Amino acid sequence: MTTHPHTHHDHARQHDHDGPHDGRHHSHHDHGHHDHGSGVLSRLRHALTPHSHDHGEAIRTAEESSAIGLRAAWVSLAGMGATALLQIVIVALSGSVALLADTLHNLGHLATTIPLIIAFRLGRRAPTSTFSHGFRRAEDLVGLLIGAVIALSAALIVWESVRALTEARDLTHLGWVLAAALIGAAGNELVARYRIRAGRRIGSAALIAEGQHARTDAMTSLAVVVGVIGAWAGLPWIDPLIGLLIAAMVVLVLISSMRTVVRRLMDGVEPETVPLLRTAAEGPGVLGVHEVRARWIGHRLDAELTIDVDPGLTVEEAEPLTAAVRGRLHEAVPHLERALVQLEPAAPR
């Protein structure tokens, strides 16, 4: 038998699965319903649970996915900037620790969204002799930066909350604080939905982490409302306690988000990815599938596998077989960028 691994075809054939194969035919797997939990506990669980990819609206081309990521980053940057600017003014007037906590979150988003934009742009650069796999890994490194900023914001919130509990503070302009909290909750939730949806569509763990952080901000903005009501009721200590509660929630989000980011940096994938690749590769002419591997680089997947074929298969017959296997892989696995398919003659039975 004469065969070869066909490594020079795996990136050239990606265009065969663009255009009409944009993921809409997978609508029965759509995870968009996660945004509509049926209760407070459901919404809280969703806010703290990372979703690394979405089968429902997977974008099939790297160029389109990068464009969506950049647009989501710019739009959310503008939204967070407007919200943070409003809250900074009201924090200065009122002295509310809970509102300060919310404002620090928004400023943290501004600090991490800019590097995320840079990472998306870097990921579009062509590979070089030094970085032969390209620059998409920059997106995963930004995910670590996002985690560091989230951790720093939690520490600052704890510091300010403890100070407020030990030092008497008079809260003023409570009506403005209430208004800012409600506006912040609405603005953060809109940004969160936009980021998470875009992150799932393109498979970006960093963008999803930013969206989860924004959703936590929306919840903490509502917590500020509780602090205002407590101050009106003559219980000013509720405000710093709400700040400590916010810090605890931020730490939970940090743990769940960083679990996904670190797993990708270690070349880990979701448990269902390898079985999905193995199943998709099976078909006419494929006698066995083994040595299946996959890894995320940024928001795109690279995969490689070996298939057993008839020992009598010729080179001319192998070409359409490997093309068909790659086609099934791109069709079945969202966010798949490259698929390296190697052939081996099946052992005699």
Side-chain angles (χ1 to χ4, degrees):
M1 168 191 169
T2 304
T3 185
H4 55 85
H6 302 280
T7 58
H8 58 290
H9 294 292
D10 49 286
H11 67 277
R13 294 189 177 272
Q14 181 188 337
H15 66 274
D16 292 340
H17 308 284
D18 296 341
H21 300 295
D22 61 356
R24 286 187 292 269
H25 56 292
H26 291 284
S27 60
H28 57 288
H29 292 296
D30 192 356
H31 289 202
H33 63 276
H34 287 298
D35 279 342
H36 305 285
S38 57
V40 175
L41 290 179
S42 175
R43 295 181 66 82
L44 177 60
R45 183 168 58 253
H46 176 268
L48 302 179
T49 303
H51 296 262
S52 52
H53 66 266
D54 178 44
H55 290 266
E57 298 184 359
I59 301 302
R60 299 288 167 176
T61 67
E63 189 68 23
E64 186 180 2
S65 64
S66 294
I68 289 174
L70 281 168
R71 184 166 62 247
W74 279 116
V75 170
S76 59
L77 183 68
M80 287 294 183
T83 303
L85 183 62
L86 171 65
Q87 290 182 324
I88 285 173
V89 174
I90 299 178
V91 166
L93 292 173
S94 66
S96 169
V97 175
L99 186 58
L100 173 63
D102 203 15
T103 305
L104 286 174
H105 283 185
N106 287 328
L107 292 176
H109 285 149
L110 295 178
T112 54
T113 300
I114 293 174
L116 188 59
I117 291 173
I118 295 173
F120 276 124
R121 290 195 175 277
L122 275 177
R124 301 168 86 169
R125 293 180 58 184
T128 66
S129 57
T130 302
F131 297 96
S132 57
H133 284 283
F135 298 86
R136 289 179 290 156
R137 187 69 76 184
E139 187 180 329
D140 299 316
L141 294 176
V142 169
L144 288 181
L145 174 62
I146 293 171
V149 172
I150 294 175
L152 178 61
S153 68
L156 290 174
I157 293 167
V158 171
W159 172 263
E160 288 296 328
S161 297
V162 171
R163 283 185 58 192
L165 284 171
T166 57
E167 300 174 7
R169 291 186 180 184
D170 292 329
L171 297 181
T172 59
H173 301 81
L174 293 180
W176 284 106
V177 174
L178 180 63
L182 293 174
I183 292 173
N188 283 318
E189 177 61 18
L190 287 175
V191 169
R193 290 190 178 212
Y194 186 60
R195 280 178 170 173
I196 292 173
R197 188 171 183 82
R200 288 178 184 162
R201 292 186 70 193
I202 67 174
S204 172
L207 189 56
I208 292 172
E210 280 281 76
Q212 290 172 332
H213 194 188
R215 175 154 284 167
T216 304
D217 277 355
M219 298 171 65
T220 58
S221 293
L222 293 177
V224 172
V225 175
V226 178
V228 171
I229 295 174
W232 273 334
L235 304 172
W237 49 267
I238 289 181
D239 182 70
L241 284 182
I242 292 295
L244 291 174
L245 176 61
I246 291 171
M249 294 174 61
V250 170
V251 170
L252 291 177
V253 170
L254 174 64
I255 293 172
S256 63
S257 298
M258 289 306 99
R259 184 181 294 117
T260 301
V261 171
V262 171
R263 182 178 64 207
R264 291 193 176 190
L265 283 169
M266 294 293 293
D267 286 340
V269 294
E270 294 70 28
E272 68 271 14
T273 300
V274 168
L276 183 60
L277 287 165
R278 189 185 304 276
T279 301
E282 296 173 348
V286 178
L287 304 181
V289 182
H290 54 96
E291 295 181 8
V292 182
R293 298 183 181 89
R295 65 174 177 172
W296 287 96
I297 305 181
H299 55 272
R300 305 296 289 180
L301 270 170
D302 283 1
E304 59 183 82
L305 53 87
T306 301
I307 61 173
D308 294 330
V309 296
D310 187 339
L313 194 71
T314 66
V315 172
E316 290 75 16
E317 294 169 331
E319 170 62 23
L321 174 60
T322 55
V325 171
R326 281 193 298 271
R328 292 196 296 271
L329 292 174
H330 282 283
E331 190 75 16
V333 183
H335 318 299
L336 183 61
E337 177 74 2
R338 297 183 180 91
L340 172 62
V341 180
Q342 300 190 73
L343 306 184
E344 280 191 2
R349 295 185 179 180

